[in-house]
Amino acid sequence: TLGGTMVKISGSGFGNCSNIDVKFGDLMTCEVSECSNTELICNTERISKVHQLNNGGRHPVYGPGYVWSDIELEILPGDTVEWVWNLQVASKETGISVQQVESPANNEWDGKGFKSEKGPKGRLRQQFYSPGDYFYSSQPVFGKELFMKGKIQVVSDTEDSTSALSVMMEDIPAAQEVVADTGSVAYDGCALSPGSDCIADPVSSHAFLFTMAVCLTPSVSSVVISSGSSNASAMPISGFNGAGLIIEGSGFSDNSCQNVVSLGDNHHCVVTSSSTSQLTCTVDGAGETPMPSLKEQKIAVTVRNSGSA
């Protein structure tokens, strides 16, 4: 349900795909990675929604402008929250900020989460990937008593979604001749295990359908740095070159080559052993752009033929 599935589309007239746009309904885009005139391969990515919060709420004592418009916001993994504030009446000492805190009772920044500068006007954007509760507070708006607090609750999908394929060349939709599924995308050096039968293939006579299935979506419950360089556990968790990681969760493949663990934009953690609930890997931070020391890298897990955790 979070994307990360490789899709092969066969047909004709794709050209070099420079003006081809692939989507599955309003839920997924599909970024083209390989292309010929008769075939393209793309990788699904969930379309992130942006939720905006402003300081339009009304405080029972200080009036409007000192409470967030929604103090308990529920979103999906991959969504973005944007805080925007503008105090109509402000002094040199007065201002709003946003900073992640450990619990509703805390006002101090937790030292590792999101944080903004304090000011009478401002904004902060933060994307949330992992399910859980994220608490935030401001610094004192004025004096030492008024704090603007809230909670972001990131919840996983609980229901499957099915959407129709759309292939557009600029504003011209591709005609679809629906035929039987011909199998999975081939990965060099990795023979894929048979797909799960936890959900039936969607059926349509006029368009290809894609089901985002909860039962096929991997999930990560913990990451432990088992050896090598390490840093304090954080969200996102930090990993460093040569470190050994143990990743626990569900929906992984016991076929090791089907599990892909990436760190940041350019690095990987090479999987050395796997089961459906645990991955063991070694961080490979070398390459053209070596992994910088003492810099957090977002850890992402993708199971080929299933999708992103």
Side-chain angles (χ1 to χ4, degrees):
T1 61
L2 302 179
T5 301
M6 203 75 74
V7 179
K8 180 172 69 175
I9 300 174
S10 300
S12 60
F14 296 146
N16 62 4
C17 292
S18 61
N19 55 355
I20 294 287
D21 183 46
V22 184
K23 289 184 178 180
F24 292 98
D26 296 326
L27 296 176
M28 294 278 182
T29 60
C30 204
E31 188 72 21
V32 177
S33 58
E34 299 179 31
C35 177
S36 70
N37 191 51
T38 58
E39 184 177 278
L40 65 84
I41 293 177
C42 61
N43 193 51
T44 60
E45 182 177 343
R46 187 169 193 150
I47 298 174
S48 172
K49 292 183 179 180
V50 178
H51 306 262
Q52 190 174 90
L53 300 176
N54 60 60
N55 63 314
R58 187 180 185 88
H59 192 279
V61 175
Y62 300 105
Y66 298 101
V67 175
W68 294 109
S69 53
D70 190 343
I71 60 174
E72 292 191 5
L73 178 65
E74 184 177 295
I75 65 174
L76 294 171
D79 284 358
T80 296
V81 177
E82 181 179 48
W83 291 266
V84 179
W85 61 92
N86 184 4
L87 284 174
Q88 298 301 314
V89 179
S91 66
K92 185 176 180 181
E93 295 78 20
T94 303
I96 295 174
S97 60
V98 180
Q99 56 190 17
Q100 188 171 346
V101 297
E102 291 183 351
S103 72
N106 290 90
N107 300 319
E108 298 294 327
W109 180 48
D110 64 4
K112 56 192 178 186
F114 50 86
K115 184 181 183 182
S116 77
E117 297 296 326
K118 179 179 176 179
K121 295 181 180 180
R123 67 177 60 231
L124 174 70
R125 287 173 68 100
Q126 177 69 32
Q127 190 169 16
F128 295 84
Y129 299 97
S130 302
D133 292 338
Y134 298 81
F135 302 100
Y136 63 91
S137 174
S138 65
Q139 300 176 48
V141 179
F142 54 79
K144 296 183 178 180
E145 297 181 358
L146 179 58
F147 296 88
M148 295 176 62
K149 295 174 173 287
K151 180 178 76 170
I152 306 299
Q153 185 177 21
V154 184
V155 295
S156 299
D157 289 285
T158 58
E159 297 182 352
D160 300 338
S161 300
T162 298
S163 297
L165 169 68
S166 167
V167 179
M168 301 286 292
M169 178 176 283
E170 296 182 349
D171 59 348
I172 302 174
Q176 298 187 35
E177 182 181 345
V178 179
V179 296
D181 184 7
T182 57
S184 301
V185 176
Y187 293 89
D188 291 340
C190 183
L192 301 184
S193 300
S196 172
D197 58 358
C198 69
I199 185 170
D201 290 339
V203 178
S204 172
S205 59
H206 58 85
F208 289 97
L209 300 180
F210 184 89
T211 296
M212 288 138 273
V214 173
C215 67
L216 293 177
T217 303
S219 67
V220 174
S221 58
S222 71
V223 178
V224 175
I225 302 175
S226 59
S227 63
S229 302
S230 63
N231 191 19
S233 179
M235 186 61 73
I237 301 167
S238 301
F240 295 93
N241 191 27
L245 303 184
I246 297 176
I247 302 172
E248 296 188 341
S250 62
F252 306 145
S253 175
D254 53 13
N255 181 18
S256 291
C257 67
Q258 282 188 236
N259 305 291
V260 179
V261 182
S262 60
L263 295 94
D265 297 326
N266 303 302
H267 306 286
H268 294 86
C269 192
V270 180
V271 177
T272 54
S273 66
S274 68
S275 69
T276 57
S277 60
Q278 186 181 89
L279 305 177
T280 302
C281 64
T282 302
V283 175
D284 179 7
E288 294 182 3
T289 55
M291 181 179 292
S293 178
L294 302 179
K295 184 177 180 180
E296 293 183 347
Q297 304 289 326
K298 177 180 175 289
I299 296 174
V301 176
T302 299
V303 181
R304 289 169 169 168
N305 213 27
S306 291
S308 299

